[in-house]
């Protein structure tokens, strides 16, 4: 599949390839079968793999919890939760079991499962369809939390997630599903736990992921400063070094995310920089994030999500400090 | 007692108005002609609101909208049976029930315009806003019905949810809480056969949804959800019992005639034949036949209703658009807490600066 | 069909061995004398382990422990019916079931010593570790039973949970998933009448717990949980059906004779009279009467069993204590992920440094 | 009740006083009635208020969700969740409804409810009885998260929580329940959202709460430095100013908590200090926290929870930087 896909196509073709590659892979979730997913990310897969693609009842604790059972029998379950906020219905299964089955049993029972879900704002959807809780998931030891940002990255990371020996929460930025097409290499794996430099630069490091990454790159192109953009890709466990190495070079850092600021990942990244690169810091780490309010209904959503202006402002403030 | 039966249960199904508009005299609720016409007009109003909302959405003037088309009898019939101070705890598809409870249609449109203004609870109204997380709101209704009982008030909480919702653990917990606390709660399940694309057979192995009440030791009953009089009758009875502390589940068997929401394309998962079958069973048509055949509704009156509904909805659309022009983003900071904490105040300044 | 019955259900209750040790020939499972004696010894072993564990805890040599005293028949009878490769998915009170499945008693003690070593799954065993969150594990069993079916294997998942657990939405979701996917799962509910201090009447308005299956369209049956032969018989049947893709709920009606856990004092919420009543109905006593009256168990054999059990448990205690001396705190870093991420490696160094 | 109580007694007597003070207060939760709570924090209250104290089924989503209904009818529900991790079973009700009913309805439907729960380690309890997820709750805008640290503080804060117009998650440090008695003033309210200086000092600021506070105070007494100890009390919304003012004075800061480090509140506090007191910082903010692993079973629990030695080490490191 060196073909061109949008993110949603990259998801679909990677799922298809993994279903082909490994007959232990099973796909399940609400409306993933006959309807092909509410975003069409699983379109056609039930037809092609009728015994390994399942529509489920509307029950997210069930989806997460049953996944633990499926995984224990030797399958590699890939669940879809229709929107990120509805993982909350199964948060207990995730935190009490999925995240810690390995540690609880000293490695004698492991759960290689992937939970895919659209996350973040941007498509003017209904209430609770636009949340970003990556920090909350990252605060649960044992979970691996991944956020891709382009079609090729989506494919490479999703493949690695499915093949990963431990449970992965795979957050697909809704806003990106139907944005640009790009070439998606076949059978490509991107190792989990490794950040990438999305754009090299000298003056300031900006850490951004998911749908905030492209915005950041756009701003970086236009702004009057040399910006190094780091895409963590795996939010947890976070590859600290790539970030701190960059900050050691630039001396300045901005972290961008959609999630509310308080207890968000920007705080964590600030703290890690503070710990590992304190003496290199020439300005406070700036957080450009969602505000500490519930994501408003969509008429006010654009006021909530960081836009180019806020990102640029954050960069400017940091560079000029 | 080597092997003995220790408990027996059954589920009844009720229909007052047959598919071709014949009334069963024993089950006919005692409603005046004016009330019958009111039911009719409410269903028409809801239908028209939905139709207009869908076309607004198609023109890009509205966000995602979940129509109640085909489910008007289930919603209007049940909501019409409620007393003024009873609580309504809706899901996201309850335009018909909300209109019946007196919600201004422009508020429903505000909600679909992505405005919290559309989720405001009018002063003095006993209501919850639409609930997006499937199956989450019945617990609120169980809590309300319990709380009203604690305070010795007669109000009942009526909550709406779908067939898909019955798969959520919360719904079962709600039934169970209601059973334990003799909650003054009526659970109205609209079994419209689909949860987005998922058919009932993929949702549960249970033959009926009414039987889900048995798990919680409360009563469940099924009613033809396209029969507005049957629904009214059954919910009226359920309300009476709930007021006495006997919660109840009412499964209204109906059909979602339209798309799940305006983001959905049902042709991906069901065929036109099925849809046509249910067009013939439309709840408004059935009731209209009854009203006409019994001389309650004539051509003149029909036109009057249609005109009134049309102008009401048009006005509502105007009003909704006007309100939408005033949306202030800064509001998102104002209602998070009773008092805005200093930290948030700083963020508001950041936002405004 | 103005008002008609559309579904009927009933719950049966089974008892093979009456309270005074009389067997019902039709329901007696076909077990050899050796197997009957094995059942007996397993129950005795579990009882003794629990007793010793409680006294160890009282001396401060063990952490919180949840005894199965009074529930041995429910656990041993059900686990004994399982095939070797069937899965056990326990709650936190399943010492008797685990011993029946061959778990070494020192592992159960390790668990009560706060050691993950006690939650290890032995190589090749089809088992989940104890589950502390009430009602959470039946979903795992539904998933296993579904997964075994997907892979065309005959193994069944048997999961244990209590009366209190049936109030958790997860348990209902597990039934419902099992129903939808024809999961090879048997749900064993031990209705021991209490959830810590909470009596069944405060837990649910349902008359039986078996009827909770009806909500999911799967079958439920009740069995006298203090009758090891009845439990065996009923679970054996359930396993057979589950192997064919018919999941089932088995309610074993029993009594928690001891404290909830060693942190609990039941005298705060129930009276000695009730406890005495159930002492008389002890499942081991009942079975012993049967074995003795049928010439299967004599005094000599009884003493032999008691001695063997005593020495096994004593050895297990020794072994558990030895293992406990070796606990290495650094292990907490080693099993979080397959590969330790650099950041965590740093924390391990911090810990060790 | 100017009497002396331990924390558990302070909880009980404050609940009693509030039940007396306001007949809209109702208490409910698993085993809170006949048994008086598994920690005896509600002992005797069912006898005294038979119509307003309820044992519930074992169903935490039910407890949280039904609470929203109770509150809407004009009651002031005070729920107990038996252990903090079991809030997860109702996390969706908390995040999707309780936290945001006010903002969703523009203040026209509000939910004055309190969810009390024991949290944190220290009593060698079973698995999942020792977690600390205050950061995860704080990352949900609309929730107020409170952690008391002494009997008198417990009483004053709990009273304010119950009287608060918005939902409060009230985390009672399990380890403290049966520690020292102290005088608990009657009818005393401690405003939410205000930190306190638990001990004034000059060289370094240490922020600590719950059961970590006393440990920190003990270390502060012994260590060869003048330590200013700040107890945030309300973890969210956090009173940043008291902390940053202190850091502006001392130039150094250590944050101590039991929760895992990644995405924990120490990161958030570090970021706020970085934002508001960057130029005053003479050393990196040090995080003394639980490790990024699931809280181990109790045989290893003491290896997990920060002890005096680790706190002292953190302070020393920061002072000597
Ligand atoms: C907890 C949760 N899970 C998933 C969704 C996505 N979703 C929205 S509506 C729906 C189906 C609901 O079906 P049903 O309960 O039958 O109601 P209907 O739409 O037919 O009125 C789903 C899965 C959601 N909103 N909330
Ligand atoms: C999700 C969850 N809520 C609460 C608890 C605390 N708790 C432990 S056991 C128990 C009662 C369980 O009762 P039951 O299911 O009848 O099992 P039994 O203890 O009688 O075996 C409770 C409430 C828990 N462990 N998990
Ligand atoms: Mg439906
Ligand atoms: Mg029990």
């Amino acid at each position: 599949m060196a073909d061109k896909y949008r993110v949603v196509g990259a998801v679909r073709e990677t799922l298809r390839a993994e279903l082909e590659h490994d007959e232990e892979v099973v796909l399940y979730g609400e409306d993933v079968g006959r309807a092909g997913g509410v975003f069409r990310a699983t379109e056609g897969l039930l037809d092609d793999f009728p015994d390994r693609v399942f529509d489920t009842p509307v029950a997210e604790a069930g989806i997460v919890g049953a996944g633990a059972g499926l995984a224990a029998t030797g399958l590699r379950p890939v669940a879809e939760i229709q929107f990120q906020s509805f993982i909350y219905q199964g948060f207990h299964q995730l935190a009490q079991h999925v995240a810690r089955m390995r540690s609880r049993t000293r490695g004698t029972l492991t759960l290689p499962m992937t939970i895919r879900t659209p996350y973040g704002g941007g498509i003017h959807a209904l209430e609770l369809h636009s949340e970003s809780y990556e920090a909350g998931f990252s605060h649960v030891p044992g979970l691996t939390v991944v956020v891709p940002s382009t079609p090729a990255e989506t494919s490479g990371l999703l493949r690695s997630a499915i093949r990963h020996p431990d449970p992965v929460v795979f957050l697909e930025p809704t806003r990106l599903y139907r944005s640009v097409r790009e070439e998606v290499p076949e059978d490509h794996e991107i190792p989990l736990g490794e950040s990438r430099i999305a754009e090299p630069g000298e003056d300031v490091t900006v850490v951004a992921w998911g749908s905030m990454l492209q915005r950041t790159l756009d701003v970086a192109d236009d702004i009057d400063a040399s910006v190094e953009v780091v895409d963590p890709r795996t939010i947890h466990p976070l590859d600290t070094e790539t970030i701190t190495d960059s900050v050691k070079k630039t001396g300045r850092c901005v972290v961008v995310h959609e999630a509310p600021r308080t207890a968000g990942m920007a705080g964590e990244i600030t703290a890690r920089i503070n710990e590992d690169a304190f003496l290199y810091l020439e300005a406070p780490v700036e957080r450009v994030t969602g505000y500490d309010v519930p994501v408003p209904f969509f008429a006010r959503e654009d006021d909530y999500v960081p836009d180019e202006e806020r990102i640029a402002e954050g960069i400017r403030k940091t560079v000029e400090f | 007692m080597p092997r003995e039966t220790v408990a027996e249960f059954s589920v009844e199904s009720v229909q007052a108005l047959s598919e071709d508009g014949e009334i069963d005299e024993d089950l006919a609720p005692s409603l005046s002609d004016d009330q019958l016409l009111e039911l009719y007009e409410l269903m028409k109003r809801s239908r028209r609101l939905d139709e207009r909302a869908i076309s607004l959405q198609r023109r890009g003037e509205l966000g995602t909208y979940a129509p109640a088309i085909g489910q008007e009898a289930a919603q209007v019939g049940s909501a019409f049976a409620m007393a003024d101070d009873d609580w309504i705890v809706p899901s996201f598809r309850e335009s018909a029930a909300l209109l019946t409870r007196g919600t201004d249609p422009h508020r429903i449109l505000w909600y679909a315009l992505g405005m919290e203004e559309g989720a405001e609870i009018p002063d003095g109204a006993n209501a919850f806003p639409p609930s997006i997380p499937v199956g989450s709101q019945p617990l609120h209704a169980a809590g309300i019905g319990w709380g009203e009982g604690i305070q010795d008030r007669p109000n009942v909480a009526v909550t709406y949810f779908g067939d898909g919702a019955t798969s959520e653990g919360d719904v079962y917990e709600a039934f169970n809480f209601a059973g334990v606390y003799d909650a003054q709660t009526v659970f109205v399940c609209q079994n419209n056969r689909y949860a987005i694309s998922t058919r009932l057979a993929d949702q549960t192995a249970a033959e009926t949804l009414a039987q889900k009440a048995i798990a919680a030791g409360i009563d469940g009953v099924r009613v033809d959800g396209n029969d507005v009089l049957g629904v009214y009758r059954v919910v009226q009875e359920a309300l009476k019992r709930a007021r006495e502390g006997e919660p109840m589940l009412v499964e209204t068997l109906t059909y979602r005639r339209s798309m799940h929401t305006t983001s959905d394309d049902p042709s991906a998962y069901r065929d036109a034949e099925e849809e046509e079958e249910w067009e013939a069973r439309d709840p408004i048509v059935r009731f209209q036949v009854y009203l006409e055949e019994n001389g309650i509704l004539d051509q003149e009156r029909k036109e009057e209703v249609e005109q009134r509904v049309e102008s009401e909805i048009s006005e509502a659309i105007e009003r909704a658009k006007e309100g939408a022009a005033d949306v202030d983003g800064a509001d998102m900071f104002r209602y998070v807490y009773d008092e805005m904490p200093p930290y948030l105040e700083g963020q508001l300044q950041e936002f405004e600066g």
Side-chain angles (χ1 to χ4, degrees), chain A, chain B:
Chain A
M1 61 161 181
D3 288 328
K4 286 189 159 193
Y5 293 105
R6 302 186 205 278
V7 166
V8 73
V11 169
R12 190 184 56 239
E13 294 312 311
T14 309
L15 292 174
R16 181 193 306 284
E18 288 307 293
L19 280 159
E20 263 158 24
H21 166 80
D22 181 353
E23 62 175 28
E24 283 167 355
V25 172
V26 293
L27 239 65
Y28 68 115
E30 295 158 18
D31 306 294
V32 301
R34 295 178 69 221
V38 290
F39 288 102
R40 304 287 174 257
T42 54
E43 198 159 30
L45 300 179
L46 174 63
D47 284 342
D48 294 346
F49 305 93
D51 301 330
R52 291 194 281 140
V53 177
F54 303 89
D55 279 313
T56 63
V58 186
E60 292 76 13
I63 292 172
V64 179
L70 291 171
T73 68
L75 296 172
R76 289 199 169 252
V78 181
E80 176 178 306
I81 298 288
Q82 211 161 72
F83 289 92
Q84 185 237 253
S85 296
F86 308 133
I87 294 186
Y88 300 164
Q89 260 74 359
F91 185 74
H92 55 292
Q93 286 289 345
L94 202 62
Q96 294 166 350
H97 290 297
V98 171
R100 58 165 79 211
M101 196 56 83
R102 180 188 285 276
S103 66
R104 169 188 295 150
T105 63
R106 297 170 63 83
T108 57
L109 179 60
T110 58
L111 303 176
M113 59 188 282
T114 304
I115 299 174
R116 299 175 40 242
T117 191
Y119 104 118
I123 58 159
H124 282 194
L126 289 168
E127 196 196 0
L128 287 163
H129 284 58
S130 313
E131 327 302 299
S132 308
Y133 198 65
E134 67 270 33
F137 300 128
S138 298
H139 195 47
V140 178
L143 291 183
T144 296
V145 182
V146 175
V147 181
S149 57
T150 70
E153 289 277 315
T154 299
S155 176
L157 290 166
L158 180 55
R159 179 170 288 105
S160 297
I162 295 172
R163 297 181 182 184
H164 199 63
D166 284 311
V168 177
V169 176
F170 194 83
L171 303 172
E172 301 167 0
T174 319
R175 184 199 300 276
L176 301 182
Y177 271 144
R178 311 211 171 276
S179 72
V180 288
R181 277 177 208 281
E182 72 174 13
E183 239 168 61
V184 173
E186 258 180 76
D187 202 27
H188 178 51
E189 285 182 69
I190 299 176
L192 305 189
E194 292 185 15
S195 306
R196 70 178 174 122
I197 307 287
E199 179 152 313
E202 299 299 327
D203 299 342
V204 55
T205 303
V206 183
V207 184
W209 53 91
S211 82
M212 291 296 102
L213 184 72
Q214 192 54 51
R215 287 204 172 169
T216 298
L217 290 169
D218 290 347
V219 170
D221 274 354
D222 286 348
I223 209 163
D224 196 21
S226 167
V227 181
E228 177 145 303
V229 181
V230 180
D231 173 9
R233 306 198 286 203
T234 299
I235 305 300
H236 183 70
L238 184 70
D239 165 13
T240 322
E241 233 185 321
T242 306
I243 296 171
T244 49
D245 282 354
S246 174
V247 175
K248 283 180 187 166
K249 180 174 72 177
T250 61
R252 294 164 199 274
C253 186
V254 179
V255 188
V256 186
H257 63 59
E258 283 187 49
R261 191 168 306 163
T262 292
M265 284 308 292
E268 176 60 28
I269 291 170
T270 304
R272 293 198 186 191
I273 293 170
N274 164 93
E275 279 155 9
D276 296 349
F278 181 72
L279 293 176
Y280 298 83
L281 268 186
E282 288 165 43
V285 178
E286 178 72 15
R287 296 191 283 176
V288 178
T289 67
Y291 299 107
D292 280 316
V293 307
V295 181
F297 293 10
F298 76 76
R300 294 174 173 91
E301 184 186 332
D302 292 342
D303 292 315
Y304 171 87
V305 179
D307 55 15
E308 281 80 357
E309 204 185 301
R310 286 180 62 201
I311 298 171
E313 182 52 36
I315 295 175
R316 248 179 256 116
K317 187 173 157 195
T318 305
V319 172
E320 289 164 12
F321 183 84
Chain B
M1 63 130 192
R3 197 187 271 277
E4 60 173 10
T5 298
V6 288
E8 287 183 301
F9 310 93
S10 65
V11 172
E12 282 199 334
S13 183
V14 174
Q15 187 189 58
L17 198 60
S18 75
E19 288 203 13
D20 31 61
E22 301 286 346
I23 191 82
D24 180 288
E25 292 304 337
D26 289 343
L27 290 170
S30 50
L31 290 167
S32 68
D33 285 358
D34 279 353
Q35 286 176 309
L36 293 172
L37 287 168
E38 211 181 327
L39 284 174
Y40 175 72
E41 185 160 340
L42 283 164
M43 294 205 280
K44 294 288 278 186
R45 187 179 299 137
S46 173
R47 176 69 55 94
R48 196 63 194 129
L49 173 62
D50 282 357
E51 287 167 353
R52 295 286 306 270
I54 292 170
S55 68
L56 282 172
Q57 194 280 338
R58 291 294 180 247
R59 291 203 305 271
E61 295 175 29
L62 208 69
T64 307
Y65 186 85
I69 295 175
Q71 304 177 210
E72 291 90 348
Q75 294 190 23
V76 172
S78 52
F80 200 73
M82 293 166 65
D84 278 353
D85 284 342
D86 287 343
W87 290 78
I88 181 163
V89 183
S91 157
F92 46 78
R93 194 190 296 291
E94 267 70 73
S95 38
L98 292 176
L99 290 174
T100 307
R101 295 295 293 164
T103 300
D104 291 329
H106 71 269
R107 296 190 166 272
I108 295 172
L109 294 169
W110 276 347
Y111 189 82
L113 282 161
M115 293 163 58
E116 282 82 357
E117 284 80 348
E120 280 183 21
I121 309 298
D123 238 17
N126 280 343
F128 264 52
S131 172
I132 295 293
V134 169
S136 60
Q137 73 282 0
L139 271 170
H140 309 158
I144 294 168
W146 175 21
E148 291 288 349
I150 292 173
Q151 292 165 92
D152 279 327
R153 288 191 302 238
N155 311 327
V156 173
V158 177
T159 183
Y160 291 87
F161 53 95
D163 44 305
T166 65
S167 296
E168 292 281 2
D170 277 22
V171 172
Y172 163 72
E173 291 191 15
F175 297 166
N176 198 52
F177 263 65
V180 168
Y181 296 117
D182 304 329
Q184 295 164 198
T185 306
V186 175
F187 298 99
V188 177
C189 176
Q190 290 178 79
N191 177 356
N192 64 6
R193 324 271 174 148
Y194 283 90
I196 307 187
S197 71
T198 305
R199 287 174 300 192
L200 200 58
D202 294 328
Q203 197 64 245
T204 184
E207 296 166 65
T208 72
L209 298 180
Q211 79 199 51
K212 293 189 180 263
I214 296 169
I218 67 174
D219 278 341
V221 64
R222 176 184 267 185
V223 60
D224 180 342
N226 283 11
D227 162 13
V228 69
L229 298 180
V231 172
Y232 175 85
R233 169 68 186 248
V234 165
V235 172
Q236 190 188 36
E237 278 172 26
L239 282 162
K240 195 166 152 222
R241 289 175 52 179
R243 243 176 267 292
E244 243 97 88
E246 269 187 68
M248 193 153 169
L249 167 62
V250 178
E251 175 191 5
T252 62
L253 198 56
T254 177
Y255 188 78
R256 192 197 77 210
R257 286 198 45 209
S258 54
M259 64 287 277
H260 167 67
T261 67
T262 47
S263 318
D264 174 55
D265 172 13
S267 73
Y269 53 81
R270 70 184 189 192
D271 51 33
E273 208 173 305
E274 181 185 297
E275 291 179 1
E276 278 157 28
E277 220 174 90
W278 282 94
E279 187 175 349
R281 296 190 188 151
D282 188 275
I284 301 184
V285 173
R286 188 195 303 187
F287 192 47
Q288 189 170 305
V289 167
Y290 166 76
L291 293 177
E292 285 170 348
E293 290 191 349
N294 288 273
I296 302 165
L297 183 70
D298 56 20
Q299 192 55 29
E300 195 185 334
R301 189 68 182 245
K302 239 167 71 183
E303 278 165 23
E304 190 193 311
V305 167
E306 261 155 37
Q307 274 165 25
R308 190 162 47 233
V309 161
E310 197 59 45
S311 71
E312 275 171 11
I313 302 300
S314 294
E315 261 171 54
I317 292 172
E318 280 323 298
R319 189 140 171 219
K321 286 184 181 169
E322 280 163 31
D326 296 336
V327 163
D328 178 5
D331 282 354
M332 71 179 147
F333 296 95
R334 297 204 175 104
Y335 302 102
V336 186
Y337 304 98
D338 179 46
E339 263 184 68
M340 198 184 295
Y343 181 61
L344 202 52
E345 205 134 358
Q347 293 189 7
L348 171 56
Q349 279 160 24
E350 213 182 281
F351 174 78
E352 285 181 329

